[in-house]
Amino acid sequence: MIIVMKPGASQLAVNHVVERIESMGLKSHVIVGTERTVVAAIGDERGKVKEELETAAGVDRVLPILAPYKMASRELRERTIVRTRDFECGDSKIGVIAGPCSVESEEQILAIARGVKAAGATALRGGAWKPRTSPYSFQGLKQEGLKMLAAARDATGLAIVTEVMAPEHVPIVAEYADVLQIGARNMQNYLLLQAVGETRKAVLLKRGPAATMEEFLLAAEYILDRGNQQVMLCERGIRTFEEHTRFTLPLATVPYLHEKTHLPIVVDPSHGTGKATLVSSMSRAAVAAGADALIVEVHPCPENAWSDGYQTITLEAFETLLAECRRVAEAIGRTI
Amino acid sequence: MIIVMKPGASQLAVNHVVERIESMGLKSHVIVGTERTVVAAIGDERGKVKEELETAAGVDRVLPILAPYKMASRELRERTIVRTRDFECGDSKIGVIAGPCSVESEEQILAIARGVKAAGATALRGGAWKPRTSPYSFQGLKQEGLKMLAAARDATGLAIVTEVMAPEHVPIVAEYADVLQIGARNMQNYLLLQAVGETRKAVLLKRGPAATMEEFLLAAEYILDRGNQQVMLCERGIRTFEEHTRFTLPLATVPYLHEKTHLPIVVDPSHGTGKATLVSSMSRAAVAAGADALIVEVHPCPENAWSDGYQTITLEAFETLLAECRRVAEAIGRTI
Amino acid sequence: MIIVMKPGASQLAVNHVVERIESMGLKSHVIVGTERTVVAAIGDERGKVKEELETAAGVDRVLPILAPYKMASRELRERTIVRTRDFECGDSKIGVIAGPCSVESEEQILAIARGVKAAGATALRGGAWKPRTSPYSFQGLKQEGLKMLAAARDATGLAIVTEVMAPEHVPIVAEYADVLQIGARNMQNYLLLQAVGETRKAVLLKRGPAATMEEFLLAAEYILDRGNQQVMLCERGIRTFEEHTRFTLPLATVPYLHEKTHLPIVVDPSHGTGKATLVSSMSRAAVAAGADALIVEVHPCPENAWSDGYQTITLEAFETLLAECRRVAEAIGRTI
Amino acid sequence: MIIVMKPGASQLAVNHVVERIESMGLKSHVIVGTERTVVAAIGDERGKVKEELETAAGVDRVLPILAPYKMASRELRERTIVRTRDFECGDSKIGVIAGPCSVESEEQILAIARGVKAAGATALRGGAWKPRTSPYSFQGLKQEGLKMLAAARDATGLAIVTEVMAPEHVPIVAEYADVLQIGARNMQNYLLLQAVGETRKAVLLKRGPAATMEEFLLAAEYILDRGNQQVMLCERGIRTFEEHTRFTLPLATVPYLHEKTHLPIVVDPSHGTGKATLVSSMSRAAVAAGADALIVEVHPCPENAWSDGYQTITLEAFETLLAECRRVAEAIGRTI
C-alpha cells in the first residue's frame, strides 16, 4: 500500500501515518520526493486499513498494491475445471448451456431440452424463479418449474442450470439443479453468495451490469471463502451509454480474467446484446476470445416466449450457431 | 404502443401484428408512411406484450407510450409525505438523516445521536447489517447493533434508519427501526422489496448505481403494490466513467422525479461523492435542487470509523453543513 | 415521427401540433388512446422538425421513426468495398493495417513496414501528427513523418494510413497517404469531415469514445455527403466505468453496423483494450464477429516506442496473431 | 511514480526498471514487500516516462504520484478571475451568460440581448458557427452572425460569448467576440486549443462529454501553455447510461475542480440536462455547489428556435430563474 501525502503535509502528519501503519502490524517506509512525500506500507494490506489511512490528516490518497481477493486469484492456482454430468468448463472442451428464459411447461422444456441436446448443448438453462423489472411481469413457475427441469434432465442427461434468488431457496433449488445461477442483480447479495458457498453445487455467478472486475472477483471470493470451489464467472454485458444494444458486451473480460483468476469464464451473448440478430456473431467472438462456455437463450418460437423473446433464438438458429462456433473453436485448438 | 415495421415489411407481417395486438385486447391502427408502416396499439399496454411484438416477423422495434409503473406515478397523486417521529419528508420541511456508516458501540452511537440531534437532524442512520464488497471487511454488529440504535432513539427521540439485507431479517429489523433502508445493491432484490412492502414501516429505497429511472420507479412499484405507501426514493450516485469521485451524483434526478412521481426524493451526498471534502457543497446543491431530505455520514473521528471513513464528516463539519443548508432552504422557501 | 402528447393535453395543443406538422409539408394522423393522444407525422422527417415539436405546448416527447442518415444506410446499397493498393476491406478478404503509434525515424518505419508486410499486413499505420492528451508529450514528426511513410510505401508497396488533424492539413497529408485517418477525438470535427469528404482518398473514421451509433453514422454522412464514398468505420473502444482496460471494446458494433450500413467495419484492438496482452485475443474475436479489417499497433521494441507502448505488440507477437486470425477467418469462410 | 512489479518478477527485471528510471534523470528507490516489489521514482515524472516503464518486462503497473498538469494546478496560484466588460467570473460575483443557441437574425439577437440584460445577465451567448450532429441541420449564419452579435453588444454592453470551431476561424471570431468558446466536441482539438492560447481573449472551455478531470485540465493546460491565462472551465454534462436526461450533469465537478485548479468553473444547465423543465432547478443547484458562472440558453419562443429548443427557456422563465439563483447566491455569501 502506498500512501501519498498532500503537497506540504507536515512531518507530524507523516509521523502519524507511520504510526498507524505500524499499529496495523505493517512495516513502513518513508520516501521524500521533490514535490510529495509518499509512505510505503509493507505486509498484507487486505482488510479495512486503506479506508482508515485515507482519512488521516495530510493524506491525499492511498494506492493499494495487492489485489483484495486471494482465493479467486490465479496466484493460488493455474485453473479450475467445473464438471457436472456431461457439462465441462475450464479445460479445452467448451461448455454449452442453452434453453429458454423461463420454464413455461413440461412440454416446452422437454422439447427444448431435446432440441438443444441434439444440436450439441451439454447443459439446459431455464428460469423457475424469475427476477423481473416490473411487478406486473410473469415471475416464474417456481417449484413446479424445478420439477419440469428435473424431468428434462431425466429425459436427456443434460445438466440443469437455474437461478436461485434468495438464501432460503437454496436448499430446494439445490435439490433439483446441477448448477446454481446467481443472477446479475444479485451479484452483491452477500447472504445469497454465502448460502450457495455452503453447498457443493457448481455456481454460475453473473457479473452485475455495473460491477468492476475487482467487485466481481470479490463476489466470487464470498463463495470460495465458504468452501465451494466450483465457481464459474459469467460476463453478461454491462450498462453503458450505448443504446443500440440492451447492454454492452465487453469480451476483453475473457482474456483479462484468464490472467487474474483460475476460475472458468462463461459468456452470455443473449443478455449481453439483448438482440436475437446479434447473438450468433457474438457467440463466435466469445469463443475466439477464449470463453470456456456459452449460455444462450433458445426457444422453439421466440415470439411466443413468456419472457426475453427479443433476445432468444430459434432451435434452427442455435444449430447453425453451434456449427459455426465449433469451427471457430477448432481454429483456436479447442472443441465444443 | 407504436410498432415500427421494417422497410418493406410484407402485408402479411402487418396483418400478423394487428392480430396479435387485438388478441391482447388492444385496438390497432395501421399508418402507412412514405418509408415505413407503423401500427399503433391502443389501450393499457402494461405487461409482457411489448416483448412479444418485438419478436414478430417484420417488426423493427416497439416504442412504448405509457410508463410501465402506475402506483408510483404522479398521475395517481400529487405528493406523498413520509412522517415518523420527528422526521418528515415530502412537504416544505426538509428531513435530515445523519449518523455513522456502521454502529460500532452503544457509546459511539449515543454520542453521535446526541451530536446530530443538537445540530438539527431528525433521524439517525447507522448500519447493523453491512453489505461489504469484500468478505474480509467488517460485516456489522447485527442484532446487537439494532439494540444500540434503539437505545439511541430512546435517548434522543430521533427516528432510526437502518438497512435490511434479506427478507428473513425484515421482522427483526422492523421491530427496532422506524425506516427500513433498502441498499443500492438490493434495489432489484424483488423478494426483499415485497417483504418490506408487507410491513407498514417507512422505506428508504436507494437507487442502484446502474438503474434507470424506470427501473427505480418499478422497484418502488414492487413495494407500493404490496400496500406500503411510505416509500422514499434516494439518489446515491451512479456508476460512470468518472474516477475522481467514487460515484457520479446526478442531481437532475431530483426535479425529474418530482415531475414523474408523488414519492419524496432523498439525496445521499456521502455515497454520491465518496469524498468527505465534497459532501458539504453537494448537500447545499441537493437542497437547492429540491431534495426532500438528506442522508449524511457523520462520525466524531472519521479516521477511526470502522467503515466509509473517507466519505464521513465530523460533527463540527455537519453543524456547519446544516447551517448552510438551512440558509439555502430558506432561499427557496423551505425549512430544515 | 410520432408525437406523444402529455396526459390531458388540450384539443388546442393537439391542433397546434397538427398545424406545425402540416406546415412542414408532412401529413398528420391523430390517434386518441385510452390514456394518451399521439399524433403521427407522415413523410420525410429528417431535419430540424423534431426539435421544434418537442417544445410545443402539451407535447411529452417525439419519437423519430426514420434513421437520420441516408447515404450511410444499408437501405441505399448492400455493401461498399474500399480498395487502395493491396489493401482491401469490405469483401471476403479481411484487411490488415499494422504499424507503430508514431513514426519515429525512417529506419524505424522501414523496419516495421518490412516486418508487418512479411507477416501478412496489407497497409501500414503510423502517426505523423499526433494528438496527445498532454501538451508535454511528443506531438509527431509532422511532414518529415509523412515523407518517411512514403519511403516505407515505396519499399514495400503497403498502403499508408495516417491521421489528419485539421482541415488545412488535408492537402499535404493526402499527397502522401493512401488512407486519411480521422482520430476518435475528431469524429465530430465537422469541418475536418467535410474537408476529407472533398478528397477522393479512402477515409478511416474512428468512433468517438462516447459516440452513439447514430452520431457515428451521421459523422460518416458528413463525408459521404461531400461525394467521397470510400469510408471505413472503425470501432476503437468506448469510455465506460471499466477501469481494468483503457477503453471497453464493444464488438457487437460489428454485426450491428453490418445490419445498418453498407460501409466496411474496422476494429482496433490496440486502443480498444489499451493492453498489449489482450490485443491478440480481441483480434481473433473481432475477426469472428465479422470485422472487415483490423488495425494493430506494432513496434520492434514496445518499451522504446515514443508513444502507446503499453498497447503495442512486438513483430513476433504480430506474426502469431495473424496466423491465429487467419485460421479464425477461414473458419467463418473468409481470408486474410 | 510508483512502479509495481509482478509477483515473482526477477532481480534482473527490477534492475532494468531502476536503470530506466535513472536514465530519465530520476532517482529510484526499491522496496521489497512481502508479496510484491515496488520501485519508487523520485523527481518530476511528467512526460512520456510512465508509458515506457509500463511496457518493461516484469512490470505490473505504474502509479503516477504527481498530477500531469502544472499551469492549471491550484498549487501554482489560489484563483484566477476572468473579467471582460461587465462580465466577471471567479470572485464573489457570479457571472451570467445567456442567449439563444444560434444567432438567427439581428432582430432576434437584439431582443434577446435586451431581455437577458434586463434580467441580470452580464454576457450574451449565441452561436454563429454551429457544430451539428447531422449534416442536414442548420449550421449557423457564420460571419453574418458575428456582426449581429457585435451589434447586440453595442446596444447593451453585454460581453459576447461565441464558439470558434477551427484554428483558421480564430482571428475573425476574436475580432468580434469577448469570450472564445471551445465546444465540447472540440475539447481535445489541440490545434484549436493552441490557436486560442495564442490570443489574449478569455476562453470558455467546455468539458467533453467523456472527458476525465485530468483530460479536462490538460486541455486547459494547452491554452495556458501558450500564454493565455484567461481560461474558464465549463461543466456541461457527461455521457452516461442515463436516458431520461440528454446528458448527466455531475455538479461535484464544481467543488472538485475548485480543490485542484485556480481557474473559474462555469456550469451549463441547458446542455447538462437537455430539458427545459430541469434548467431552473439545476441552475440553483449549480450556484449552491459553488459555480462561478452560469451559461443558459434563452429564446423568446423556444418552439421557434432554429436549434436546441427542447432545452431552451423563455425570457420570463429566465427572469424567475435569476431571481431564485440570486437568493441562493446570497445564502452562500455571493452575489449575482
Side-chain angles (χ1 to χ4, degrees), chain A residues 63-134:
Chain A
L63 307 169
I65 299 299
L66 303 181
Y69 48 85
K70 287 180 206 176
M71 303 188 65
S73 171
R74 185 140 191 195
E75 295 174 32
L76 187 83
R77 187 188 309 148
E78 185 71 14
R79 65 164 68 177
T80 287
I81 299 172
V82 172
R83 278 196 192 91
T84 172
R85 300 185 190 267
D86 287 348
F87 177 79
E88 182 183 312
C89 172
D91 204 346
S92 72
K93 188 166 159 60
I94 296 170
V96 179
I97 308 164
C101 178
S102 303
V103 180
E104 297 168 10
S105 69
E106 190 166 323
E107 201 176 21
Q108 173 239 27
I109 197 70
L110 271 172
I112 296 177
R114 287 189 178 115
V116 300
K117 163 104 180 177
T122 48
L124 177 69
R125 61 155 290 151
W129 274 267
K130 296 301 306 169
R132 301 302 299 277
T133 306
S134 166

Side-chain angles (χ1 to χ4, degrees), chain C residues 179-252:
Chain C
V179 179
L180 304 176
Q181 178 180 315
I182 303 292
R185 295 176 180 87
N186 275 323
M187 191 202 84
Q188 293 189 311
N189 184 335
Y190 301 120
L191 299 172
L192 180 58
L193 297 176
Q194 290 172 336
V196 300
E198 297 290 347
T199 74
R200 290 303 171 265
K201 289 279 177 179
V203 176
L204 182 78
L205 176 64
K206 290 198 149 189
R207 180 183 183 184
T212 62
M213 287 295 102
E214 203 168 288
E215 291 167 343
F216 195 14
L217 288 165
L218 281 168
E221 193 89 355
Y222 264 93
I223 303 171
L224 298 168
D225 186 46
R226 294 289 163 131
N228 188 345
Q229 304 302 313
Q230 296 282 294
V231 179
M232 296 174 274
L233 301 174
C234 180
E235 173 59 76
R236 48 76 72 206
I238 57 171
R239 191 148 265 180
T240 72
F241 70 86
E242 292 201 314
E243 59 197 10
H244 65 287
T245 45
R246 237 172 143 80
F247 289 94
T248 293
L249 185 60
L251 287 179

Side-chain angles (χ1 to χ4, degrees), chain D residues 219-239:
Chain D
E221 193 89 356
Y222 264 94
I223 303 171
L224 298 167
D225 186 47
R226 294 288 164 131
N228 188 345
Q229 304 302 313
Q230 296 282 293
V231 179
M232 298 174 272
L233 300 173
C234 179
E235 174 58 77
R236 48 77 72 204
I238 58 171
R239 191 148 265 179

Side-chain angles (χ1 to χ4, degrees), chain C residues 244-321:
Chain C
H244 65 287
T245 45
R246 237 172 143 80
F247 289 94
T248 293
L249 185 60
L251 287 179
T253 304
V254 178
Y256 178 84
L257 283 175
H258 278 150
E259 285 177 11
K260 295 293 171 190
T261 183
H262 52 86
L263 299 172
I265 316 303
V266 184
V267 171
D268 178 344
S270 306
H271 288 84
T273 62
K275 282 216 171 147
T277 58
L278 305 176
V279 169
S280 175
S281 314
M282 293 312 279
S283 297
R284 294 196 304 263
V287 169
D292 298 303
L294 296 174
I295 177 166
V296 182
E297 289 192 339
V298 178
H299 193 284
C301 179
E303 187 182 344
N304 291 328
W306 294 8
S307 50
D308 279 8
Y310 48 86
Q311 68 191 28
T312 300
I313 60 172
T314 62
L315 276 163
E316 292 68 40
F318 178 66
E319 276 167 37
T320 309
L321 178 159

Side-chain angles (χ1 to χ4, degrees), chain C residues 115-137:
Chain C
V116 300
K117 163 104 180 178
T122 48
L124 177 70
R125 61 153 292 150
W129 274 267
K130 296 301 306 170
R132 300 302 299 276
T133 306
S134 165
Y136 309 126
S137 300

Side-chain angles (χ1 to χ4, degrees), chain A residues 146-195:
Chain A
L146 291 180
K147 289 180 187 162
M148 294 170 190
L149 285 166
R153 172 177 52 205
D154 293 346
T156 60
L158 290 170
I160 298 299
V161 181
T162 198
E163 178 161 355
V164 56
M165 275 179 70
E168 66 266 32
H169 296 171
V170 170
I172 178 81
V173 178
E175 196 181 320
Y176 293 96
D178 300 297
V179 179
L180 304 176
Q181 178 180 314
I182 303 292
R185 295 175 179 87
N186 276 322
M187 191 201 84
Q188 294 189 310
N189 185 336
Y190 301 120
L191 299 171
L192 180 58
L193 297 177
Q194 290 172 337

